[in-house]
Amino acid sequence: MKVVPVNFGSDDQFEGTANALVQDYREDTDKKIKFYKSISCCLTTVISLSIVLSILFITAIWVSTFSASLITLADSNRRNEFNKLETYLRQTIKEIESYGQTVNGVLSKELDFKNLNKTENLVFSLFKSQYINTNGMVYLIWVADKDGNMVGFFNPFGSRPVNAVMILQYASITGQKLYYYYCYNFFTKGYCDRSSVPNQITATSGSQIRLYKLAIPSLGKTIWSPSYYDASTPGILHINMLTAFNTTYINDGKDNAVFAYDFAALSMRNYLNESTLHLPGVVAFVLETSTGKNVASNENIITTFVNGSSNVAYKYSTNLQSTNDFVYSYFDQKLTNLKCNFQYSLTYGNRYVNVMRICTENGMDWVLTLSVEQWYYIGNIVIAIIAAVVASIVIIITGIFVGIYFSSRIVAPFRELIYLFTLVSNMELENISIPKSFFSEVELIMYMFKEMVSRMKLYRSFIPGFLLTQLEEKLLKEKDTEVAVPIENKHPEEKGALYATDSSHSLSNPTSSLRRSRLSSSFKFNGGASFLSKFELGLENKDVTVVCLKLNSFESWLETADNKEIISTTSLIFQTVQQLAKPAKGQVGNIENGFIFISFNAAIKAENHEIKGCNIARNLIDKLKQLNEGNTINPLPFTMYCAIVTDAVACGNLGTHEVKTFTINGSIQKKIQRMLKKNSEYGISITISEKLQNVITDKYSSRRIENIKFCNNKGQFEDLFVFELGESLHVDMDEWMYEMEKKESKNKWNDYNAGYQLYLDGNYQEALKKFEEYLQRDPYDKICTKMIELCNK
């Protein structure tokens, strides 16, 4: 059988007891209610099913309605991406052809190979203007006549050069020689800034003669020549726009010449790459229909020459190679099977492929291909469905919790009524609280219940006492594991505390005894009697550590200082004390007459409370010293003394059931007063008792001051050995390296302590030597001076 001490007193305690009883009844009642048959379960199920069915219905509608529209929109976006590439290619071709027609008219009037300087400057201005306007798209511009004379300019880097160097070509195509001159300061000069001696002389590849012969039959027209590779410029595919014209300076306009515009398609490759970066796994390329050569691609392609200088082999990426193979296989290995200017929308594997053969009147014939992963377009639909499913799940879960919450709120008043009826059935009519409800029907029921309880209280007053006693005994028999007994029948040492109780009140009030019986069972749910005993009257014997701070200037402040200054200074001091004591579980008292008490292990259990007290005291003295010396906001200077005592005391609540005060009772206050006098007499910051010094001897340096005789609470005289607390003995790495002086200060009392021990042993001469050695280092030490006087006596 488990014995639980219980104590009751005022009406406030009865109200807490009633709450504990209600908790006990609620748990008993909850066990009897079957959830699957409860109103709460039915309401939650109905709300959840309504939400689930609504979501399924709405999801089915929007998926069937918008999926087709999303697919159509995806197809439209794909076509727009392709059309953007197609428009760029057609516009590029058109601009080059228009430029050729314009140059045709200019050259037919101005070209004169008899005046090479004029011809050179004319071709230079044409190349420079086109190079700047097209952002470096042009690769080579040249003009040649039937006699094999040729003048041209080209960019040797295939794009806008950093050093702005262009190359001038002079050639005698019939003589198979090319003369190269480097043009410096291309962007700042209006002519070719070159030397008179060729920088390089090479043989021609014969491509200029071939292009010249190709253009002459189409006099006055613009045509496109088949592309070709040249071994002298590996990796560059030459695409030439040609226009033949009659010149007025050659045989009075009867002879002709050819203008060639060669661009290496680098700008097209850059555009394909930049315009498709946002498409994952995209492949975009342009093929020449007649030759199958790769004109441009959004990827870097490696070309190698095979079987002579005119044939090359391409090394494609996996996606580009598979797309290229698919296009060829779909059109029976012949690109000419594609219809001109017709867009094909194809699908293979997990990719969409759009293909178009771009044909112009001037002979340009290219095949544009764009291949994109299907996920890019249908992924939005899949993501939308997944997001909808996740959102639906979240809504369903939220709905279930909402259903549980509202069903609980609806059922809560009825459960509360059940609990209250349970209290009434056990004749627990005191302090019954009637909860409020949003529902008018429930409010009416609660009102009638309250009226019923009021009448039952009146009826109970007429019930004889012996009947209530019998009812109590019946309930006590049901509790076979726990029995509440009067506290005065229990030995104090079983609890380590002395609890006071009003036995007459307990024995003369059967209802109170009944409450104790019911409450004893509820302790297993709320922590037992130990929790309630914290708020009861009683004392407990234990060791506590008390730190007392004395503000020496407080009394003089009251006479000389302004009240606002006193409040401001004490607020700063008290704030510092609270900040340091709270983390260490120190209980801080009030500031009274300049004294501040901090107790450890009194109201709250604190491990290593002796060390915590010393740590707090040491830190407080240092912090308050900094506050006094360095805080310009503080208007009042002050000094602090501190005494720390560890002693056995009786602590707990004293007073009445209505008014209680937590007290620490023993000789500890007297010890603190005597120790503070020694602080003031010798001018030392912190004093500690012998019991505390025995605990912290390996944590802090200390020295013995003297022995004090005082009368304890029992009227007996006892010795109080007082010690001064020094620095912490813990030395970290930083102190070893940078604070050797501070380390020495921690050991400064070694000579003093050795001398004091010799003094206690009666060896006064040796003790005197030690004290004198110490006094040489600290000549103003009052304690050492007194010990020297004692040794001399």
Side-chain angles (χ1 to χ4, degrees), residues 225-267:
S225 69
S227 60
Y228 66 93
Y229 285 98
D230 194 323
S232 63
T233 55
I236 297 179
L237 180 65
H238 296 274
I239 305 169
N240 285 271
M241 182 275 299
L242 304 173
T243 176
F245 56 90
N246 290 324
T247 175
T248 58
Y249 286 95
I250 303 177
N251 295 329
D252 297 328
K254 295 179 181 180
D255 290 332
N256 50 55
V258 173
F259 171 76
Y261 185 110
D262 185 349
F263 71 98
L266 294 176
S267 60

Side-chain angles (χ1 to χ4, degrees), residues 453-630:
V453 171
S454 300
R455 296 201 176 200
M456 290 184 66
K457 288 181 179 180
L458 295 176
Y459 299 153
R460 190 185 63 176
S461 61
F462 294 97
I463 299 176
F466 70 93
L467 293 178
L468 295 176
T469 303
Q470 291 179 0
L471 178 60
E472 176 188 1
E473 292 176 354
K474 181 180 179 181
L475 292 176
L476 288 174
K477 291 179 181 179
E478 296 175 0
K479 300 297 178 180
D480 55 353
T481 58
E482 295 180 346
V483 175
V485 298
I487 194 66
E488 60 271 15
N489 295 335
K490 185 174 177 60
H491 296 290
E493 58 271 14
E494 295 181 10
K495 285 288 291 181
L498 302 173
Y499 290 101
T501 184
D502 190 349
S503 60
S504 62
H505 177 77
S506 301
L507 297 176
S508 63
N509 194 334
T511 305
S512 299
S513 299
L514 176 61
R515 286 195 184 94
R516 293 200 302 274
S517 176
R518 292 299 298 172
L519 181 61
S520 64
S521 66
S522 69
F523 285 162
K524 59 186 176 183
F525 303 107
N526 57 28
S530 60
F531 175 77
L532 294 180
S533 65
K534 293 179 180 293
F535 304 97
E536 296 176 355
L537 299 177
L539 295 173
E540 182 180 3
N541 295 323
K542 61 168 68 173
D543 283 348
V544 300
T545 298
V546 176
V547 178
C548 178
L549 294 173
K550 180 183 179 183
L551 185 59
N552 298 322
S553 308
F554 190 79
E555 294 180 357
S556 62
W557 288 354
L558 296 177
E559 297 177 359
T560 60
D562 184 71
N563 289 339
K564 292 183 179 180
E565 294 177 338
I566 297 175
I567 294 173
S568 175
T569 303
T570 53
S571 296
L572 290 174
I573 296 173
F574 199 75
Q575 182 181 6
T576 304
V577 172
Q578 286 281 18
Q579 289 176 349
L580 293 176
K582 185 176 181 181
K585 296 184 179 180
Q587 183 181 359
V588 182
N590 299 326
I591 298 180
E592 295 183 3
N593 295 324
F595 290 90
I596 302 176
F597 288 90
I598 308 172
S599 58
F600 295 88
N601 201 43
I604 303 174
K605 183 179 180 180
E607 301 291 340
N608 300 320
H609 54 89
E610 300 92 345
I611 299 175
K612 289 181 179 178
C614 291
N615 292 339
I616 293 298
R618 186 76 267 172
N619 291 333
L620 275 174
I621 292 298
D622 294 340
K623 292 289 185 181
L624 294 175
K625 183 178 180 181
Q626 296 175 5
L627 182 67
N628 187 31
E629 295 177 352

Side-chain angles (χ1 to χ4, degrees), residues 157-196:
F157 304 98
S159 61
R160 183 181 293 273
V162 177
N163 56 359
V165 175
M166 296 298 170
I167 296 180
L168 166 66
Q169 295 184 113
Y170 274 119
S172 175
I173 28 184
T174 56
Q176 301 294 315
K177 287 186 179 181
L178 286 174
Y179 301 89
Y180 295 95
Y181 299 86
Y182 292 168
C183 298
Y184 298 96
N185 303 314
F186 175 75
F187 293 103
T188 59
K189 300 289 186 178
Y191 58 91
C192 179
D193 184 6
R194 63 182 178 86
S195 66
S196 59

Side-chain angles (χ1 to χ4, degrees), residues 379-420:
N380 294 331
I381 301 175
V382 176
I383 292 174
I385 294 175
I386 294 175
V389 171
V390 173
S392 300
I393 294 174
V394 172
I395 293 173
I396 291 172
I397 294 175
T398 304
I400 292 174
F401 280 106
V402 171
I404 294 173
Y405 172 75
F406 281 104
S407 63
S408 300
R409 292 298 299 269
I410 293 173
V411 176
F414 297 99
R415 286 182 175 270
E416 193 69 25
L417 191 59
I418 294 173
Y419 304 146
L420 294 178

Side-chain angles (χ1 to χ4, degrees), residues 8 47 60 68 95 106 143 175 187 197-198 204 237 241 402 409 433-434 510 550 654 717 720 737 751 783 785:
F8 294 90
I47 294 174
E95 289 177 355
V106 174
V143 179
F187 293 103
V197 180
T204 63
L237 180 65
M241 182 275 299
V402 171
R409 292 298 299 269
S433 177
I434 307 299
K550 180 183 179 183
L654 295 180
F717 285 93
L720 173 61
M737 297 174 62
D751 290 339
I783 303 174
T785 302

